[in-house]
Amino acid sequence: MTKIKKRDKAETVAEVIERNTGILTEDFLYPKADYYIKNIAEAVQYIRDFIKNEENPVITIVGDFDCDGVMATAITEKSLAKYPVSVHTRLPHRFSEGYGLSVKIIDEIDTGLVITVDNGIAAYDAISRAKEKGLAVIVIDHHLPPVDKAGEMKLPPADIIVDPHIEQESEFSDYCGAALAYKLACDLCPEDDLSELLVYASIATVADIMPLIGDNRNIVKEGLKRINQQGLSKGFSRLLTKLYLDFHISEDDYGFKIAPVVNACGRLYDDGAERILRLLTEDLSTEEIEHLTDFYIETNNKRKEQVKEGLEHVQGQIGKDKFPIIVYKEGIGEGIIGIIAGKICEKYKRPCIVFTDSSQNGVLKGSGRSISGIHLYDALNRISDLILRFGGHAGAAGLSIKIDNLEKFSEAFKESIGEIHVDNTVYYDLQLTKSNMASVLEDLKTFAPYGEGNPRPCIRMKYIVNGAYREIGDGTHFKISGKGITVFGFGLAKKYGKLGYPKSLDCIGYLGEDWYKGESYFKFELTDFRA
């Protein structure tokens, strides 16, 4: 820890949140209950007319292989269950097909209506092919469309497009794909109990790192209420039980426990996303549920090991300059390069792209992550002549390049972003004492959920170690179970040992609550500390 500094004069949680979000406290806590989204009503009417007017209506839902795409597909399929229509789902295969709707997928579909969820806005060629075949197409997406050199959007020729990023009329634009699918479901099934679909949308909103303000705050806050009341499908409930998430599920559990398991299958197996979709949409036997949930958890554990090994492989390629990081390592799984890029980006505070080999000879697949203030998609768009294919948004993107262009691309990408000046000062928002701990925790709970767009206030706390220390997990983490408060140091066990296991700590981190046998306890998650 180099230097500790209080960020500003804010003395309450409310003042910190107002500064972080730029939204007045009352507007933040009580956002609108209903937001207008352009073309949602038109999409619903189109679907109803299609079902009514076709003799044997067929709808094919095309999603994606990540948590958002799987949840969006499940939501849309379940919302159509009450209608007299044959519904098929198609998720792209990560390794053999790549992201989103493709001409190959369209060539499999002979008739009916195609609804893309969490993809489609960039699928100009595939949707052109669909229209040539006489298929109807509705695009429901939240990604940015491609733009030409003049900055003009190139939109696909779909019958209806729902994407708040392509227009200014929607009252909120930062939905994920599953949240837009949920909004469609609300209009398709206004009289139905959509609690489970709301839970899916809330998980995807956190998993896809959407800002937790406005309508996203509504979705996640209400979704957390519903998931903690249970009443979910047998399969999904069993998965939560096996993840030890029977009670008091939080947004952190969404991001660090549930979403990784949902994502893991699609990261490690070509058709893995279809395997997790079964749990969300099919009426499975108890035996099938037990087998599948065990498989999902084992797959996630395997994914963790692969990420650990992948990080070890690329560490030596990371320079100490101030430019964006680009690394290439053959043999790393395509499905985990995004996680590795995210971890490198977080550690070095610089945008990062990790490349690996693809199934196509001479082509590398890459996944990038960025830091606040640097728009990754825009940076890639400025050098799009060196890229075969790319898509994404400000914080994350996927791309493919020719291996022969790697060096040229690396130089162009660094030039597109420029030097990055990192402030190594450790900032905190509020000082914690024994006397204000309970009131600060209550205020923190009032302004939850926390995440992108609404970061959790960072706390400074002086702590006298008065409990048992033990290493947890894989030995890189530690836990001190003290009187009244438990301190966690994830990834910090080595540092604590190097300092000689000090008994007095100057802590920086986050205050929360832990639950055990129905009782809550204060917990403090360290981001850094010094003796």
Side-chain angles (χ1 to χ4, degrees), residues 41 100 152 213 277 294 339 359 409 419-420 434 475 508-509 520 522:
E152 296 295 322
I213 58 175
L277 183 64
D294 283 343
I339 301 174
S359 56
F409 171 85
E419 280 194 78
I420 299 149
K434 273 189 177 181
I508 301 291
S520 67
F522 292 112

Side-chain angles (χ1 to χ4, degrees), residues 120 240 252 265 290 414 438 443 518 526:
L240 295 180
D252 288 343
C265 286
E290 288 300 307
K414 290 178 181 179
D443 288 345
L526 295 167

Side-chain angles (χ1 to χ4, degrees), residues 64-67 69-70 91-94 262-267 269-280 296:
D64 190 24
F65 40 62
D66 69 353
C67 180
V70 171
L91 301 181
H93 298 165
R94 182 187 285 267
V262 174
N263 273 322
C265 286
R267 291 189 185 281
Y269 301 103
D270 198 28
D271 63 346
E274 294 170 355
R275 305 188 196 192
I276 195 75
L277 183 64
R278 289 193 64 202
L279 189 76
L280 304 178
Y296 301 147

Side-chain angles (χ1 to χ4, degrees), residues 379-496:
L380 291 173
N381 197 53
R382 289 192 287 269
I383 56 171
S384 59
D385 55 323
L386 295 172
I387 306 173
L388 296 174
R389 186 183 185 196
F390 75 103
H393 43 77
L399 65 157
S400 297
I401 66 170
K402 291 182 179 178
I403 191 169
D404 295 340
N405 275 344
L406 178 60
E407 187 174 344
K408 191 181 294 186
F409 171 85
S410 298
E411 292 303 316
F413 182 66
K414 290 178 181 179
E415 186 176 335
S416 180
I417 289 179
E419 280 194 78
I420 299 149
H421 300 282
V422 177
D423 181 2
N424 288 316
T425 303
V426 176
Y427 292 94
Y428 69 95
D429 298 305
L430 300 170
Q431 184 81 43
L432 195 68
T433 65
K434 273 189 177 181
S435 62
N436 72 358
M437 193 177 294
S439 62
V440 169
L441 179 60
E442 286 306 308
D443 288 345
L444 287 170
K445 288 158 68 174
T446 298
F447 288 90
Y450 296 103
E452 184 72 17
N454 180 32
R456 192 184 304 272
C458 191
I459 307 292
R460 185 178 189 180
M461 176 184 75
K462 301 296 175 66
Y463 178 67
I464 305 300
V465 178
N466 59 8
Y469 166 88
R470 67 185 179 97
E471 293 180 358
I472 57 176
D474 61 0
T476 62
H477 319 305
F478 72 85
K479 173 182 178 181
I480 302 172
S481 304
K483 294 178 181 177
I485 186 168
T486 301
V487 174
F488 292 90
F490 295 106
L492 295 171
K494 188 175 180 181
K495 176 176 180 177
Y496 191 56

Side-chain angles (χ1 to χ4, degrees), residues 162-339:
V162 179
D163 187 338
H165 283 300
I166 68 171
E167 35 82 9
Q168 302 293 321
E169 294 155 66
S170 294
E171 293 180 310
F172 187 75
S173 61
D174 288 321
Y175 297 102
C176 67
L180 288 172
Y182 173 70
K183 291 295 184 178
L184 182 86
C186 289
D187 281 5
L188 268 174
C189 313
E191 307 300 323
D192 294 2
D193 179 6
L194 303 179
S195 296
E196 188 160 28
L197 307 192
L198 172 60
V199 168
Y200 293 168
S202 66
I203 293 169
T205 298
V206 173
D208 228 42
I209 320 179
M210 296 293 104
L212 300 186
I213 58 175
D215 207 16
N216 283 344
R217 175 176 165 78
N218 291 335
I219 289 169
V220 176
K221 192 173 181 180
E222 290 304 310
L224 285 167
K225 284 183 185 176
R226 303 298 174 86
I227 198 172
N228 281 301
Q229 292 167 357
Q230 298 300 308
L232 305 173
S233 67
K234 287 190 304 180
F236 196 62
S237 294
R238 185 61 181 149
L239 178 62
L240 295 180
T241 298
K242 288 187 175 181
L243 293 173
Y244 305 102
L245 294 175
D246 290 320
F247 302 101
H248 306 292
I249 297 170
S250 70
E251 65 271 29
D252 288 343
D253 295 320
Y254 277 3
F256 296 112
K257 295 181 181 178
I258 299 174
V261 171
V262 174
N263 273 322
C265 286
R267 291 189 185 281
L268 267 58
Y269 301 103
D270 198 28
D271 63 346
E274 294 170 355
R275 305 188 196 192
I276 195 75
L277 183 64
R278 289 193 64 202
L279 189 76
L280 304 178
T281 58
E282 295 183 20
D283 186 15
L284 303 172
S285 68
T286 301
E287 292 75 20
E288 286 177 306
I289 289 170
E290 288 300 307
H291 171 73
L292 286 173
T293 49
D294 283 343
F295 172 75
Y296 301 147
I297 292 170
E298 288 167 9
T299 300
N300 190 46
N301 290 333
K302 185 177 178 182
R303 186 271 309 167
K304 290 178 185 177
E305 284 300 312
Q306 290 190 11
V307 168
K308 184 178 178 181
E309 292 171 5
L311 276 169
E312 291 171 356
H313 285 315
V314 302
Q315 286 292 341
Q317 297 185 41
I318 300 171
K320 295 183 179 180
D321 57 35
K322 297 179 180 179
F323 287 96
I325 298 167
I326 297 175
V327 294
Y328 160 55
K329 183 68 178 179
E330 58 183 334
I332 297 178
E334 289 178 30
I336 62 170
I337 54 176
I339 301 174

Side-chain angles (χ1 to χ4, degrees), residues 104-150:
K104 177 181 181 295
I105 291 175
I106 289 298
D107 284 343
E108 298 172 3
I109 304 169
D110 295 324
T111 186
L113 167 63
V114 176
I115 302 177
T116 71
V117 287
D118 191 36
N119 74 99
I121 198 65
Y124 186 91
D125 292 343
I127 293 175
S128 296
R129 172 69 175 142
K131 298 311 296 177
E132 290 171 6
K133 292 183 66 175
L135 302 174
V137 182
I138 294 175
V139 169
I140 300 173
D141 200 358
H142 72 114
H143 292 95
L144 297 166
V147 296
D148 60 24
K149 290 297 182 182

